[in-house]
Amino acid sequence: MRLTLGSMGQLITWKRLALALVFCGEIWAGKALAGGRPGPQAEVDSLRRRAAVEPADTSHAQTLNELGFDLAQLGRYAEARATLRRAQHLSEQLHFATGQVRALSALGVSYQNEGNFPRARVLLDSAIALGHRLHETRKMGSALLNRARLCNAQDDYACALESVQAARRFFEARGDWPRTAQALNGLGSIYSNRGDYPRAVAVLFEAVQLARQHHDAQTEVNALGNIGNVYLKQKEYAQALRAYQQLLPRLDAVPDFRGRPEAYHDLAIVLSHLHRPEAESYFKKAIAGFEQLKEPADVGQVLGSYANYLLDAGRRSEAIATYTQALALLRAAADNSSIAATLAGLASAYQQNGQPALAATHAREALALARRIHDLPDAQSAAALLATLAKASGDYRQALAYTEQAQAANDSLFSQAKAEQIGRLQGDFQLSQERERRQALARTSAAQAETLRLRQRQVRGLIAGLVAVALGGLALTWLAWQLRRRNRLVEKQRAELTELNATKDRLFSIIGHDLRAPLHSLHTFVELLSGPPLPPERLRQYTQHLTQTLDQTLVLLENLLGWAALQMRVAGPVRTEPLSLAAAVEDAVSLLGPTAEAAGLTLRNTLGGSEWVLADPAAVRIVLRNLLGNALKFAPGGRVTIAAERQGSRWQLAVADTGQGLAEPTPRQPLAPASLPRRSGSAPGRAPSAGLGLVLSHDYAHRSGGELEVESAGPGKGTTFYLRLPAAPEAAVSADGPVLARNAVVDAGR
C-alpha cells in the first residue's frame, strides 16, 4: 500500500496545525504591536548594551525582561532564564509588581518552548497568583494568554478555555481590542483542537473582524491562517484556499518573518489537494523562505510535503531524493513526528519504485518510531505498507500480524474520527444554541430598549411638567414681588399724600391766622387815617407798628412762595457746593441785626470761619434766616447764640435762644413737618404763629442733604435748633476763602 498525497498531506497538516494554532503569547504580541523591528540578534545586542549602562531601577528590570524574551525566541533558553531570574529578583527588591509578573510569565514561556510543560505551568500559575495578590493588572492578560497556550498544548481544554476566556474578559473590560482579538484567536485554536470546528471558525472570523477594525495586521494574519488550517483539516479545500488568498496580501504589513514561508507551505498543500500546478512554485518559495531564516526543521517539513507532491505526480526518483534530504534535516532537529511521516513516505516511494527491501527497512523504522511516540496515522500507514510487502513476498503470517497492527491503528483512528465527529456535532448544537440565545438576547434587548425609550419619554414628560411648574412658580413669585413693590409704592404715595394733606391744612391755618392779622391791622390803620387827624406821636406809633406788621407779612409771603415752589416741584435742582457756614451766618445776622436791636435781643455768633459744608447756598441761607427769625420772634429781650461743631463727616450748627421754649419738655429729636413743636406762648404784642418757616426749613435742610433737629427743656427754658450738614472735602475749600471775625456780637444794648 502506498502512502498517497492526501494521507501525507493530512498528517503534515496535523503537525503544522498544532504549531500554527498556538496563538501568540506575550513575546510575539509585544513585537506585533511595536511594528517593524530589527532582527532578533540585533535586538539582543542592543538590549545587552542598554542593560550594561542602566542603573538598577525599574527601567533596568524592564530591559532585562525584554532581553530574556528575545533570547528565548532565539532558542537560547538557559541564558534567557538566567536573565529573566535577574529581572525577577530586581523587581522583587524594587517592589515592582509589573516586572515580577512579567518575568515569571516569560520564564514559563521559556520552559514551555523548550517542552518542559510542568515547570512552565507552575511558573505561569505563580505569575497569575502574584498579579492577583499585588493587584498588578498590566501583565495579567498576557499571563492568562500564555497559560491558555500551555494548557492547549497539554490538551487540558478546561484550563485552556478558562484561561483564554478570562483573558478575553480582562482585555474587553479595559477596551484593549487588539489583545481581545488575540484572545479570540486563541479561543478559536482551542475549539479547533477539540474538534469543535464550527465554533472555532465563528470565533476566528470574529477575531479577524475585530483586528481589522483596530488595524491589528498581525492578529488578522494569524487568525486568517488559523481559519485556513481549520478548513484544511476538514478537507474543505476551496474555503481554505479563499482564506489563504486573503492572507497573502497582508503578510507585508506584519513583522513576523516566519509568517510568509508558513503561508506559502499551507497554500501549497491546499493547491496540491486541488491538483493545481502552481502548488510546486509555492513549495519552493516556502523552502527558500525557511532556508533564509536558517530553520532546518521547517525546511525538512516542507521538503517532506513537497516529496509527497512529487510522489503523487509519479516523479518517484525526485520524490526519493527529496524524502532523503528532508529526513536528514529532520533527524538533525530530532523532530520525531515528522521523521515518522517522512520514513513512511520514503518507504512508499521505494515500494512504487520497485525496491521492496528498502521500502520494508524504512517502513519498519517508521512503525517503531510511530508506536513509540503514539503517532497512530503513521503507525497505520507503515503497518499497512509492511503487510503489503510481506504478502508480496509470500510471508502470510507476517502479513497477518502487520494487518492486525494496521487494523488496530485504524480502529483507533476511527474512534478518534468518531470522537471528532461527535465534537463537531456538539459544536454545531452548541453553536445553534448560542445563536438562539443571542437572538433571544437581541429580542430581549430590543424589548428593553423600547421600554427604556418609553420610560425616557415619560421622564422627559415629567421633567417638562416639573419645568413648567417651576416656571409657573417663578412667574408667581415675580408677580408677588411686583405686587409687593407696587403695594410699597402705593403705601409710600399714600404716606406722602397724607403728609401733603397735613401740610396743606397747616398752610391754610397759616394763611388763615398769620396773614389775616396783618391785613386786619392794615385795614384798621387805613380806617384811622380816614378819620379825624391823629396826633403826631400816636401816628408815629401806628406807623412803626404797621411797618413791623408789613415786614412780618412780607417774610410770610416769601416763605409761602418758597414752600409752594418746593411742593409743586418747580424749585430749581439742588446744586451743592462748598459753603462757608460762618459767611452764611454772618449774612443772616447782618440781615436780622436791626430787628434784633429793635427787640432788645443779643445775637452771638461764635463761628470761626473754618466751618465749610457741601450744600445748596440758597437753601442754607433760607434755613438760617428762618431759624434766626423764629428765635427773634419768641425771645424778645433775650439772647440767641449761634455755634458750630464738627461731628465726623458733618458740621452741626446750633441756634439756641433763651426764649419761651416749647409747650412741654422735648428731648432732642428730628423736626417732623407733621408734628412741628408749638411754642408755650406768643411774644408780647405778637399773635401766635403756625410755624411755616420751620416747615420750609425742614424741607430745605433735607433738600441740601442735611437734617434739622429740635430740643427744649420746657416752657420758659428756651429752644435749640440743630442743623446738620455734610462737611466739604478739604481739597474743595479754597485757601483764599473769607476769614470772619470770631465772636461777632450784635447787642441791642450797645
Side-chain angles (χ1 to χ4, degrees):
M1 176 180 180
R2 72 181 181 90
L3 186 61
T4 63
L5 174 63
S7 61
M8 191 61 192
Q10 182 178 1
L11 297 179
I12 291 187
T13 302
W14 276 79
K15 176 60 181 177
R16 292 187 51 74
L17 187 61
L19 296 175
L21 293 182
V22 173
F23 50 93
C24 40
E26 182 172 327
I27 300 174
W28 185 72
K31 295 184 180 295
L33 294 176
R37 297 175 63 178
Q41 185 58 51
E43 183 71 16
V44 166
D45 294 338
S46 175
L47 290 172
R48 283 188 191 280
R49 289 192 295 271
R50 193 168 73 190
V53 298
E54 282 182 338
D57 55 10
T58 56
S59 297
H60 185 57
Q62 291 176 346
T63 301
L64 291 175
N65 273 322
E66 292 179 15
L67 179 58
F69 276 125
D70 288 344
L71 288 170
Q73 188 180 20
L74 291 174
R76 295 152 65 176
Y77 299 118
E79 189 178 357
R81 285 194 286 271
T83 304
L84 291 170
R85 287 194 183 96
R86 287 173 54 199
Q88 179 191 358
H89 294 324
L90 179 59
S91 299
E92 188 174 358
Q93 292 174 4
L94 297 173
H95 303 288
F96 181 35
T98 301
Q100 295 182 63
V101 173
R102 191 175 185 188
L104 286 172
S105 179
L107 282 169
V109 172
S110 173
Y111 278 111
Q112 178 184 348
N113 291 342
E114 198 177 20
N116 190 345
F117 291 166
R119 181 61 177 163
R121 181 71 173 269
V122 170
L123 287 168
L124 289 173
D125 289 342
S126 299
I128 294 171
L130 180 64
H132 283 303
R133 187 170 70 253
L134 299 180
H135 304 288
E136 168 52 44
T137 59
R138 280 178 289 180
K139 293 299 176 183
M140 184 65 68
S142 298
L144 288 168
L145 279 179
N146 286 329
R147 186 172 71 176
R149 174 189 174 195
L150 174 61
C151 294
N152 190 39
Q154 292 179 296
D155 294 333
D156 186 353
Y157 297 131
C159 167
L161 280 175
E162 178 187 357
S163 300
V164 77
Q165 287 172 348
R168 177 185 180 181
R169 291 192 297 270
F170 177 87
F171 292 130
E172 284 180 342
R174 285 155 180 77
D176 189 348
W177 303 116
R179 293 294 184 89
T180 303
Q182 293 172 14
L184 288 171
N185 186 30
L187 185 58
S189 301
I190 295 170
Y191 284 142
S192 177
N193 285 356
R194 293 179 61 186
D196 190 352
Y197 302 128
R199 185 176 293 184
V201 172
V203 171
L204 288 171
F205 272 120
E206 186 178 353
V208 170
Q209 292 175 357
L210 191 58
R212 286 176 178 172
Q213 289 174 4
H214 297 278
H215 309 289
D216 183 3
Q218 184 67 73
T219 302
E220 180 186 357
V221 165
N222 194 57
L224 284 171
N226 286 344
I227 291 171
N229 287 328
V230 171
Y231 283 135
L232 181 58
K233 190 174 181 180
Q234 298 180 85
K235 299 182 180 180
E236 297 178 3
Y237 303 122
Q239 291 177 320
L241 179 61
R242 283 195 292 270
Y244 291 132
Q245 287 173 340
Q246 293 183 47
L247 168 63
L248 288 178
R250 293 168 173 78
L251 288 174
D252 293 332
V254 299
D256 186 8
F257 302 105
R258 295 178 52 87
R260 185 174 295 277
E262 286 179 351
Y264 288 155
H265 186 197
D266 295 335
L267 181 57
I269 293 174
V270 172
L271 292 171
S272 298
H273 285 288
L274 294 173
H275 305 289
R276 301 276 289 271
E278 58 267 30
E280 186 171 4
S281 64
Y282 281 105
F283 277 124
K284 292 180 178 180
K285 288 181 179 179
I287 293 170
F290 282 125
E291 286 178 344
Q292 186 177 2
L293 292 175
K294 298 180 180 180
E295 297 287 351
D298 290 308
V299 174
Q301 290 177 12
V302 178
L303 285 171
S305 299
Y306 181 41
N308 289 336
Y309 170 78
L310 293 173
L311 183 60
D312 190 64
R315 298 157 62 179
R316 300 185 186 90
S317 299
E318 293 180 59
I320 291 172
T322 305
Y323 277 131
T324 303
Q325 185 181 359
L327 191 59
L329 293 172
L330 293 172
R331 288 185 190 278
D335 189 348
N336 290 330
S337 179
S338 298
I339 291 172
T342 304
L343 285 169
L346 183 57
S348 180
Y350 278 127
Q351 181 203 21
Q352 294 182 38
N353 202 37
Q355 297 173 285
L358 290 174
T361 300
H362 289 89
R364 281 193 292 271
E365 185 181 358
L367 178 60
L369 181 58
R371 292 176 64 180
R372 188 171 72 248
I373 65 175
H374 304 287
D375 188 347
L376 293 177
D378 288 335
Q380 190 270 340
S381 299
L385 179 58
L386 286 170
T388 301
L389 292 172
K391 183 178 178 181
S393 64
D395 190 353
Y396 295 103
R397 184 183 300 274
Q398 190 65 41
L400 178 60
Y402 283 130
T403 301
E404 290 176 351
Q405 293 183 35
Q407 187 61 43
N410 192 55
D411 291 342
S412 298
L413 287 174
F414 179 77
S415 298
Q416 287 184 356
K418 288 297 182 184
E420 289 184 2
Q421 185 178 6
I422 292 173
R424 286 193 293 271
L425 291 174
Q426 288 178 343
D428 292 337
F429 176 70
Q430 292 175 356
L431 192 60
S432 64
Q433 282 189 325
E434 186 173 351
R435 188 179 299 111
E436 291 176 358
R437 183 178 62 84
R438 289 183 179 179
Q439 292 175 353
L441 287 175
R443 290 191 295 270
T444 304
S445 177
Q448 290 177 347
E450 182 63 27
T451 303
L452 181 61
R453 284 193 293 271
L454 290 175
R455 290 182 178 177
Q456 286 176 343
R457 285 197 290 268
Q458 293 174 354
V459 169
R460 285 195 291 267
L462 180 60
I463 292 174
L466 291 175
V467 170
V469 171
L471 291 176
L474 290 174
L476 290 176
T477 303
W478 182 80
L479 290 175
W481 177 78
Q482 289 287 345
L483 184 60
R484 288 194 298 271
R485 188 177 66 84
R486 291 181 182 275
N487 287 339
R488 287 194 297 269
L489 182 61
V490 169
E491 184 64 24
K492 181 180 179 182
Q493 291 174 347
R494 187 189 64 78
E496 291 177 352
L497 184 59
T498 301
E499 182 179 350
L500 188 61
N501 287 334
T503 305
K504 178 197 67 176
D505 295 340
R506 185 74 174 256
L507 176 63
F508 288 157
S509 173
I510 291 170
I511 293 174
H513 181 272
D514 288 5
L515 195 58
R516 185 187 298 123
L519 291 177
H520 276 296
S521 298
L522 181 60
H523 183 268
T524 301
F525 183 71
V526 171
E527 285 182 349
L528 288 175
L529 290 178
S530 61
L534 297 174
E537 184 65 24
R538 179 64 62 85
L539 182 61
R540 186 172 61 254
Q541 291 178 355
Y542 285 155
T543 302
Q544 184 178 3
H545 179 71
L546 181 60
T547 300
Q548 293 176 352
T549 301
L550 289 176
D551 288 341
Q552 294 175 7
T553 304
L554 181 62
V555 170
L556 177 62
L557 288 175
E558 289 179 355
N559 285 336
L560 283 173
L561 291 175
W563 180 84
L566 285 177
Q567 298 304 316
M568 298 302 293
R569 306 294 193 266
V570 297
V574 178
R575 292 181 296 178
T576 59
E577 61 183 52
L579 172 67
S580 173
L581 274 180
V585 170
E586 183 64 24
D587 291 344
V589 169
S590 299
L591 180 64
L592 297 176
T595 305
E597 291 180 3
L601 185 144
T602 302
L603 282 176
R604 184 178 181 82
N605 177 17
T606 64
L607 274 67
S610 61
E611 303 86 354
W612 286 80
V613 296
L614 197 63
D616 186 343
V620 171
R621 287 187 175 90
I622 291 174
V623 173
L624 289 175
R625 188 185 65 194
N626 278 287
L627 292 179
L628 290 176
N630 187 72
L632 295 177
K633 185 188 301 182
F634 293 99
R639 184 177 67 254
V640 176
T641 303
I642 307 167
E645 178 184 5
R646 179 70 179 262
Q647 294 182 342
S649 62
R650 289 177 174 269
W651 277 101
Q652 175 179 279
L653 180 73
V655 179
D657 63 61
T658 57
Q660 300 168 3
L662 298 182
E664 56 186 36
T666 303
R668 182 170 175 172
Q669 61 184 356
L671 186 65
S675 57
L676 292 174
R678 300 288 183 176
R679 294 285 186 169
S680 61
S682 300
R686 293 180 185 273
S689 173
L692 178 61
L694 293 180
V695 174
L696 188 64
S697 297
H698 171 271
D699 290 346
Y700 269 120
H702 278 274
R703 180 178 172 82
S704 292
E707 299 173 359
L708 194 60
E709 298 176 340
V710 63
E711 182 183 22
S712 176
K717 297 183 179 180
T719 304
T720 302
F721 288 92
Y722 299 96
L723 175 62
R724 301 177 72 238
L725 294 170
E730 295 182 1
V733 179
S734 173
D736 299 330
V739 179
L740 302 177
R742 293 180 181 273
N743 301 327
V745 178
V746 180
D747 194 341
R750 291 186 294 212

